[in-house]
Amino acid sequence: MNNSENVLPGSENKSNIKHVVVLGAGVVGLTTAITILESNSKRNLNYRVTILASQLHTDPKSIAYTSHWAGAHHVSHSTGTGVSAPDANSSTYTTEHPEQLTIDQETFRVMWDLSSKESDAEKCFMRIEQVEYYHEEIPIDENTGERKHHLGWYPDFKILSPSTLESSPLSLADLSVHSGVSFNTLTIDPPVYLRYLYDRFIQKGGKVVKGRVDDIKDIKGVQRVLREAIESSDDTPPPIDALINCTGLGSLTLPGVKDEAMYPLRGQTVLMRTPWVNFGRTLSKKGKDGKEDLWTYIIPRRSGDVIIGGTKSPNDFFPTPRPETTLDILRRGVRLCPELLHPPPPTASTDGTYTTITPITLTPDALDNLSDTDFLNLVEPFIIEAGCGFRPARKGGLRLEVEWIVQSETGSAPQIPLVHNYGHAGSGFQSSWGSATRAMSLLEGAL
Ligand SMILES: Cc1cc2nc3c(=O)[nH]c(=O)nc-3n(C[C@H](O)[C@H](O)[C@H](O)COP(=O)(O)OP(=O)(O)OC[C@H]3O[C@@H](n4cnc5c(N)ncnc54)[C@H](O)[C@@H]3O)c2cc1C
Ligand SMILES: *[C@@H]1O[C@H](CO)[C@@H](O)[C@H](O)[C@H]1NC(C)=O
Ligand SMILES: *[C@@H]1O[C@H](CO)[C@@H](O)[C@H](O)[C@H]1NC(C)=O
Ligand SMILES: *[C@@H]1O[C@H](CO)[C@@H](O)[C@H](O)[C@H]1NC(C)=O
């Protein structure tokens, strides 16, 4: 029997519907919004979720939206010891969230499933073999007497033997490589994946509003921004029951409440078109005497594009790629991955024409000897663009926490929970699902 007529208009159902506003539409905001919305089918509560963000993935790439600039691969920085790798002992802040390792592992499992052949998200990912080289030896664990590595949990993890290192065609000695590991992981194609997340959110009934909020704690102000952005009056947004702060670095330059622990960790990259490179490779060197870590990486994407990096400079607000850094990244990248300049032999395309890209046969030494102009002329045909982004870093690590907002001075209106999920630094993609699940639990506990 339908007894809805005996109930005051909307009282029963409405009390179960909670309107949650997620601030931010980067990878963290989108993943968190999806996690909340999709919990509807599993629980009694009914969430209506609105994303409110000043920038969306469909806007032109900008320094204010970090997710566009990521590599992105899943190679955790977490050691599970409270100090993250490989920045240890450099000038960058390295404290990590106590649950960082579990957060990354949970996210890896979700993404591994999403990247399977049966998944409709398969095209967002590429499963690869990843090799990480180091200048230092891998330390021996005092308790077990064995070499212990923070990436040991990835599938097919191996510590490369000295003979493997010696027989590498890369002349690793010239690169001062003293150790290395290999394992299986995946890369994410950020533009494709962000579109996938957005579509998934909309398909499940989520709403997205474009707008800027200057003070999250001013609930009336947030409500006003939502109202003004909605054109038709029959879609007036209901009152806000909870807020989630996924603004990345966003609020750093804004007035109002500022998290002093936030700082940009600037990263510069070069995007290349080299579809024949289908493996990941990194060379990490610990910074000495407070100098920046030197760290070169090759991240292939499903699309055939490849990201070459990188840099990590704390508190560097320079918003566009520096040409001298681009040159340095390319020189380091080609040194670590000569395959970038070695396209496979020409193959016939479907229209009967041949693609011919002349392979570059110079040895690493000869490449080093080239003048900057000659070197750039050589790599130029493979380059799409140089880019840079600000990783939203935070002293003390990622912030996952609930705060209560007092709405009125008399305290008569109920307090509203504000769940923080920001400060993912260089791990926003590889931590996204794990941290969204935790933000969700915080929300459930608060409502
Ligand atoms: C060069 C480089 C390489 C990287 N490689 C990797 C990698 O390999 N793997 C990995 O996991 N991560 C990588 N990262 C890190 C990753 O890109 C970030 O951790 C991630 O993008 C952060 O996402 P976010 O959603 O927190 O922030 P963002 O993507 O910056 O999104 C912030 C959102 O908040 C909105 N916003 C901010 N302030 C306001 C406001 N006041 N009002 C309304 N809206 C607001 C913005 O408009 C935007 O929608 C890399 C980053 C860089 C720069
Ligand atoms: C940092 O350096 C100190 C002194 O050199 C050393 O004892 C410590 O183990 C280092 N920590 C890490 C995480 O490498
Ligand atoms: C929301 O997150 C930002 C980080 O982007 C932080 O600086 C800000 O203080 C947070 N807002 C509130 C109200 O705590
Ligand atoms: C590179 O330059 C050095 C110094 O000028 C020279 O000794 C070396 O032979 C050159 N190498 C190649 C491969 O051209």
Side-chain angles (χ1 to χ4, degrees):
M1 192 185 99
N2 181 355
N3 60 0
S4 63
E5 277 157 41
N6 302 334
V7 178
L8 284 174
S11 67
E12 192 180 273
N13 280 340
K14 271 232 180 87
S15 64
N16 275 342
I17 297 177
K18 301 283 183 190
H19 185 204
V20 180
V21 173
V22 175
L23 285 161
V27 66
V28 175
L30 287 168
T31 311
T32 306
I34 289 172
T35 303
I36 298 168
L37 202 54
E38 291 185 355
S39 74
N40 277 345
S41 53
K42 294 178 215 141
R43 285 165 242 254
N44 227 350
L45 272 176
N46 221 335
Y47 293 111
R48 168 175 169 144
V49 185
T50 306
I51 290 180
L52 172 57
S54 48
Q55 287 250 9
L56 304 179
H57 69 295
T58 40
D59 290 319
K61 283 183 169 181
S62 112
I63 198 74
Y65 186 95
T66 306
S67 297
H68 263 155
W69 299 112
H73 56 196
H74 200 297
V75 178
S76 177
H77 302 292
S78 179
T79 57
T81 64
V83 182
S84 67
D87 315 344
N89 281 355
S90 77
S91 59
T92 52
Y93 300 97
T94 55
T95 311
E96 65 182 24
H97 188 278
E99 284 190 279
Q100 189 65 55
L101 182 60
T102 326
I103 288 173
D104 290 1
Q105 290 172 336
E106 283 177 21
T107 307
F108 181 75
R109 279 194 289 275
V110 174
M111 289 185 163
W112 193 257
D113 287 346
L114 284 175
S115 71
S116 76
K117 281 218 163 58
E118 301 76 46
S119 156
D120 59 351
E122 190 203 1
K123 64 180 189 309
C124 309
F125 301 94
M126 184 171 170
R127 292 184 177 179
I128 55 160
E129 176 175 274
Q130 174 76 15
V131 174
E132 300 265 316
Y133 292 119
Y134 305 101
H135 289 244
E136 304 82 15
E137 294 290 344
I138 295 167
I140 292 173
D141 186 73
E142 279 170 23
N143 301 320
T144 62
E146 285 178 11
R147 292 197 195 276
K148 196 176 166 226
H149 197 276
H150 70 282
L151 299 174
W153 57 272
Y154 279 92
D156 272 328
F157 176 86
K158 289 181 204 71
I159 293 181
L160 301 179
S161 68
S163 64
T164 307
L165 291 172
E166 261 165 47
S167 62
S168 163
L170 270 182
S171 56
L172 292 171
D174 291 348
L175 290 166
S176 311
V177 167
H178 287 107
S179 66
V181 301
S182 73
F183 52 96
N184 289 337
T185 186
L186 49 81
T187 69
I188 306 127
D189 194 332
V192 182
Y193 183 58
L194 292 164
R195 197 185 322 130
Y196 160 81
L197 291 176
Y198 185 89
D199 290 349
R200 178 164 157 185
F201 177 66
I202 298 289
Q203 271 160 25
K204 294 271 156 69
K207 301 242 182 313
V208 177
V209 169
K210 201 170 161 183
R212 165 150 232 120
V213 169
D214 289 336
D215 183 356
I216 296 181
K217 291 193 172 160
D218 171 17
I219 293 290
K220 288 206 185 81
V222 177
Q223 193 81 43
R224 201 180 325 111
V225 175
L226 285 185
R227 234 181 2 248
E228 281 164 6
I230 287 168
E231 274 146 34
S232 83
S233 55
D234 46 278
D235 205 19
T236 308
I240 299 169
D241 296 302
L243 279 166
I244 321 267
N245 187 6
C246 303
T247 50
L249 200 62
S251 312
L252 191 70
T253 51
L254 282 175
V257 196
K258 242 189 248 174
D259 182 342
E260 301 287 341
M262 289 296 292
Y263 64 97
L265 191 52
R266 186 180 179 278
Q268 198 174 312
T269 55
V270 184
L271 184 64
M272 295 179 81
R273 181 78 194 158
T274 53
W276 53 88
V277 174
N278 55 8
F279 50 82
R281 196 178 282 164
T282 304
L283 173 60
S284 303
K285 186 185 182 198
K286 262 188 211 169
K288 287 218 176 76
D289 313 321
K291 278 209 204 90
E292 190 192 326
D293 298 334
L294 205 54
W295 171 61
T296 309
Y297 59 82
I298 313 293
I299 305 178
R301 292 178 179 173
R302 181 65 171 259
S303 63
D305 294 350
V306 177
I307 281 275
I308 320 294
T311 62
K312 251 188 198 177
S313 8
N315 288 308
D316 179 352
F317 283 92
F318 195 72
T320 51
R322 292 188 180 94
E324 66 275 21
T325 309
T326 301
L327 175 67
D328 177 54
I329 289 170
L330 284 165
R331 286 227 186 244
R332 283 193 272 137
V334 167
R335 194 73 210 225
L336 177 64
C337 183
E339 293 95 327
L340 285 166
L341 303 183
H342 293 161
T347 46
S349 67
T350 45
D351 63 2
T353 58
Y354 281 88
T355 340
T356 44
I357 312 170
T358 319
I360 289 147
T361 51
L362 297 177
T363 63
D365 259 4
L367 279 168
D368 276 355
N369 279 359
L370 288 181
S371 73
D372 290 346
T373 316
D374 288 347
F375 176 77
L376 283 175
N377 283 339
L378 201 66
V379 292
E380 166 76 48
F382 305 105
I383 296 177
I384 299 174
E385 64 176 6
C388 76
F390 296 154
R391 299 178 184 89
R394 185 169 179 273
K395 294 173 207 169
L398 162 67
R399 184 171 184 208
L400 277 164
E401 220 177 302
V402 186
E403 210 181 314
W404 289 89
I405 312 177
V406 182
Q407 284 193 78
S408 69
E409 267 157 36
T410 58
S412 56
Q415 295 190 17
I416 285 186
L418 165 64
V419 178
H420 295 291
N421 183 12
Y422 66 82
H424 296 68
S427 298
F429 284 81
Q430 66 197 12
S431 305
S432 53
W433 291 102
S435 69
T437 306
R438 278 157 184 78
M440 171 79 208
S441 305
L442 292 171
L443 176 74
E444 297 231 284
L447 281 179

